[in-house]
Amino acid sequence: MDQLPVIAQMLDCSKRNEQLTAFLKSPSSYPHAPKAVRAIETHISWVFIVSPFVFKVKKPVNLGFLDFSTLAKRQHFCRRELALNRRLCPEVYLEVIPIYENARGFSFKAEGEIAEYALKMRELEDGWFLRELLEKKSAGEPEINRVISRLHRFYESETPTPEIEAWGSPEKLKISTAENFEQVKELVGETISAIAFETIRHFTNKFYVAKKSLFQERIEKHRIRDCNGDLHLDHIHLTPEATTIFDCIEFGDRFRFIDIANDLAFLAMDFDFEGRRELGKLLLRNAATELRDLGMLKLVDFYKCYRAFVRGKVESLQAHTERAKRYFHLAIRYATAGSESLILVVMGRIGTGKTMVARALASELDWPAFSSDEIRKTLAGLPLRERTAPQLREQTYSESLTKQTYAELVREGLTAAAAHGGAVLDATFSSRARRDFLRTQCAEANIRLQIVELVADDTQIATRLKLREKSAEEISDARLEDFEKLSAAYERPSEVAADLIQISTAGKCADAVKNALLHLADHQAESGTTWDGMVVSS
């Protein structure tokens, strides 16, 4: 019975929201009598485009990280949004207008009581938003430099105070990241996997510890400012005459009191998400040069991970499932591989579980995976899931075809890594010669290489090889009778010991995958950041 008043209140609120949005969707409601109304809904606002103006109304919601639940709070944040955005685009943000309610309904006329507030803005012309320019292939270095120049002047105009700069410390930053992890926890299994969630959280916490002095250095160099906080493609408008950056965060100062690197990382991440990694790198490189702040490059992958994770959360709240998954995939790639292209090799003796682990890693990272077994049979013109006939094995596993197989494996991997940011290669790489070839090819392509060697004891391997006899999905031809010969020919990768990640597959595949990703995250958090072939170390 105690729930009935709460339910009734929720129904009343829902009905009122429907009536309010119906009023705002009607052209006759507006004093300037627009020809049409175009409505856009986000998780926190209703936006009504009524040329030549835009009216924005905040939803009566409390999401933890923002609270618009009362009329007084919505009025306050409308005024904050107006004042804060006038810093970058005073010509767009016009005024806060009350919406009245009386017996006849809602009205902009001062009749009845104030029921809501709307932020009135000047409409920006279609076709010139940065996302639209990107889609038309009209966004390049000149446009990026215009954005950087405008932001440079903005950052210089904002004087950092001790209160603002305090938010650059790990202790303050953890308030936002811990809040995100708590809110995303309930999404595990829906838009983010448990392994990805744990890996990103591990990377974040590890980075705070490993780079504590770097965060302090950023504070001492006054790189923490009152920034935009929501700098992405849809919030930048570039006409031949004007550079307009709008819609900064107003609902929480801590989301704006951030490192300049954090602000710029959002836009760079947005370019990455749209498959334009070269523009994201261009933005950060040119910004670091113009702002005389090469130090920002040490932090951008950390902040891009944070930004992608937040976007995954927001898209999940809006029920944009596939977009949310893509953002979370991007976040785990930043946490484990950074922004540079990577070839991730899963190698080891036969029967160590390479194919299962490689496929699972590729799935977590949303990268293509390539198998030497599959490539070999394809080159030989053999059925993938039939064991090669004895009379064909000598030719199929000849040195000539093996060399061709590894050449094709590496070629396909490098092509995919250049296009997608990374690729996973599944092969024994049992000889140093094959590994030397791989390392040379990666170096020539300027693509980073990381090797994961899977290990298991002989008893476990023997059990797995016996199970292959019953599997209809097995591509590899190797069986128990081949184990002794192939193991004897296996050369341990001692030449890459310093950069080798060794993972046991004694347990479940998921455990091996998680351990591999956690090792990658450790390396990413502790090492210097590779930036276009240059190591920017702390």
Side-chain angles (χ1 to χ4, degrees):
M1 292 296 292
D2 291 342
Q3 293 295 317
L4 290 179
V6 176
I7 294 171
Q9 187 177 9
M10 291 174 61
L11 291 173
D12 286 344
C13 182
S14 177
K15 183 178 180 181
R16 177 192 175 278
N17 290 343
E18 288 178 7
Q19 292 170 342
L20 176 63
T21 54
F23 163 76
L24 291 165
K25 287 177 181 178
S26 172
S28 63
S29 300
Y30 297 86
H32 69 289
K35 293 181 180 179
V37 179
R38 182 155 61 94
I40 300 172
E41 182 176 354
T42 74
H43 63 301
I44 60 174
S45 301
W46 294 293
V47 179
F48 304 91
I49 301 172
V50 286
S51 300
F53 304 112
V54 175
F55 284 70
K56 182 178 180 181
V57 176
K58 299 186 185 302
K59 290 182 176 180
V61 295
N62 184 346
L63 300 178
F65 59 90
L66 64 79
D67 184 1
F68 298 158
S69 58
T70 68
L71 179 62
K73 289 177 179 178
R74 294 194 293 279
Q75 179 192 28
H76 169 75
F77 286 116
C78 276
R79 289 175 175 172
R80 287 290 287 158
E81 186 170 1
L82 178 72
L84 289 166
N85 280 290
R86 280 182 169 174
R87 299 176 303 167
L88 269 166
C89 49
E91 70 284 355
V92 172
Y93 285 77
L94 304 177
E95 59 181 324
V96 175
I97 296 178
I99 301 173
Y100 297 87
E101 186 175 15
N102 54 44
R104 296 185 301 278
F106 294 100
S107 174
F108 285 109
K109 295 179 181 179
E111 300 173 355
E113 295 183 355
I114 295 176
E116 198 53 80
Y117 291 91
L119 179 61
K120 183 181 179 181
M121 298 170 282
R122 196 175 303 282
E123 183 185 12
L124 295 169
E125 184 182 355
D126 284 342
W128 298 101
F129 292 94
L130 187 50
R131 182 178 300 281
E132 294 173 312
L133 295 176
L134 192 68
E135 291 170 353
K136 294 187 291 187
K137 299 188 179 353
S138 298
E141 190 163 12
E143 289 71 29
I144 284 174
N145 286 343
R146 284 177 59 189
V147 173
I148 294 170
S149 180
R150 182 68 190 93
L151 287 169
H152 188 186
R153 296 196 303 274
F154 168 59
Y155 295 144
E156 289 297 310
S157 71
E158 292 296 312
T159 303
T161 65
E163 178 194 2
I164 291 172
E165 291 183 327
W167 286 98
S169 70
E171 291 73 26
K172 290 286 193 179
L173 287 165
K174 284 177 183 177
I175 295 174
S176 294
T177 53
E179 178 183 74
N180 284 326
F181 290 124
E182 187 61 32
Q183 291 168 343
V184 170
K185 191 183 295 183
E186 64 187 38
L187 302 174
V188 171
E190 296 179 11
T191 52
I192 184 172
S193 72
I195 290 176
F197 179 85
E198 290 299 331
T199 301
I200 296 166
R201 183 164 62 176
H202 178 82
F203 164 73
T204 301
N205 293 331
K206 188 85 172 184
F207 195 94
Y208 283 136
V209 175
K211 306 297 184 182
K212 184 176 182 179
S213 61
L214 178 56
F215 286 108
Q216 183 59 35
E217 177 188 311
R218 299 296 292 171
I219 294 172
E220 292 171 358
K221 291 187 175 181
H222 307 297
R223 299 301 186 183
I224 317 303
R225 304 287 171 107
D226 188 342
C227 297
N228 176 280
D230 204 15
L231 189 66
H232 59 82
L233 293 169
D234 294 315
H235 291 171
I236 298 173
H237 191 263
L238 299 169
T239 66
E241 299 79 22
T243 300
T244 304
I245 300 173
F246 62 100
D247 206 12
C248 77
I249 286 182
E250 84 290 352
F251 51 76
D253 289 344
R254 64 183 163 105
F255 300 119
R256 289 191 329 279
F257 294 172
I258 56 175
D259 195 314
I260 291 168
N262 188 347
D263 214 31
L264 289 163
F266 196 164
L267 183 55
M269 182 276 296
D270 228 13
F271 279 124
D272 291 349
F273 183 80
E274 297 299 332
R276 299 299 301 273
R277 293 188 306 129
E278 77 284 1
L279 293 181
K281 288 175 20 177
L282 183 67
L283 167 76
L284 294 171
R285 185 177 64 238
N286 288 7
T289 301
E290 178 163 332
L291 275 61
R292 297 180 181 178
D293 184 15
L294 290 178
M296 74 164 60
L297 302 180
K298 304 173 188 177
L299 282 158
V300 288
D301 283 340
F302 171 81
Y303 283 126
K304 285 205 281 186
C305 178
Y306 164 71
R307 291 297 188 174
F309 193 82
V310 171
R311 288 307 304 169
K313 177 183 73 172
V314 171
E315 295 291 344
S316 297
L317 289 173
Q318 295 180 285
H320 298 159
T321 302
E322 293 308 312
R323 284 179 63 84
K325 288 179 179 179
R326 286 181 59 203
Y327 275 116
F328 284 132
H329 280 307
L330 189 56
I332 192 176
R333 292 203 294 269
Y334 292 137
T336 56
S339 296
E340 296 301 298
S341 297
L342 175 71
I343 289 289
L344 180 60
V345 170
V346 180
M347 63 166 287
R349 294 190 297 165
I350 64 165
T352 51
K354 295 185 297 297
T355 297
M356 286 183 65
V357 171
R359 287 175 179 172
L361 283 169
S363 177
E364 291 290 348
L365 296 165
D366 196 26
W367 280 345
F370 301 94
S371 161
S372 61
D373 290 324
E374 188 169 334
I375 289 173
R376 183 188 298 274
K377 286 190 172 181
T378 299
L379 290 174
L382 298 171
L384 290 181
R385 288 173 174 78
E386 291 181 16
R387 194 179 183 197
T388 303
Q391 63 271 24
L392 298 176
R393 287 182 196 167
E394 183 176 349
Q395 180 181 351
T396 303
Y397 290 89
S398 65
E399 176 59 25
S400 174
L401 190 58
T402 298
K403 186 175 181 179
Q404 188 180 352
T405 295
Y406 275 85
E408 181 64 14
L409 175 72
V410 174
R411 186 194 68 78
E412 290 189 14
L414 291 175
T415 300
H420 303 287
V424 181
L425 306 189
D426 157 27
T428 58
F429 279 99
S430 59
S431 72
R432 177 167 182 168
R434 305 282 180 235
R435 298 189 294 268
D436 287 346
F437 170 74
L438 169 69
R439 293 166 68 192
T440 300
Q441 293 298 303
C442 287
E444 290 179 359
N446 195 28
I447 291 178
R448 189 161 70 90
L449 171 65
Q450 178 64 62
I451 296 176
V452 174
E453 183 189 27
L454 303 185
V455 295
D457 64 38
D458 290 357
T459 302
Q460 292 168 329
I461 291 175
T463 300
R464 290 169 183 164
L465 292 176
K466 288 177 183 177
L467 291 174
R468 286 186 179 182
E469 299 291 349
K470 303 175 183 178
S471 173
E473 297 299 313
E474 185 61 50
I475 296 177
S476 173
D477 286 329
R479 296 295 186 271
L480 186 57
E481 63 265 27
D482 305 306
F483 173 59
E484 188 173 335
K485 176 184 176 182
L486 293 175
S487 285
Y490 184 79
E491 300 173 12
R492 302 303 297 265
S494 55
E495 79 281 2
V496 294
D499 298 317
L500 183 71
I501 295 174
Q502 198 173 69
I503 299 295
S504 169
T505 56
K508 297 178 181 178
C509 174
D511 294 333
V513 171
K514 181 179 178 179
N515 288 336
L517 290 171
L518 291 178
H519 274 82
L520 290 170
D522 282 340
H523 179 271
Q524 188 62 22
E526 293 171 356
S527 67
T529 299
T530 302
W531 189 260
D532 284 350
M534 174 181 70
V535 175
V536 185
S537 56
S538 302

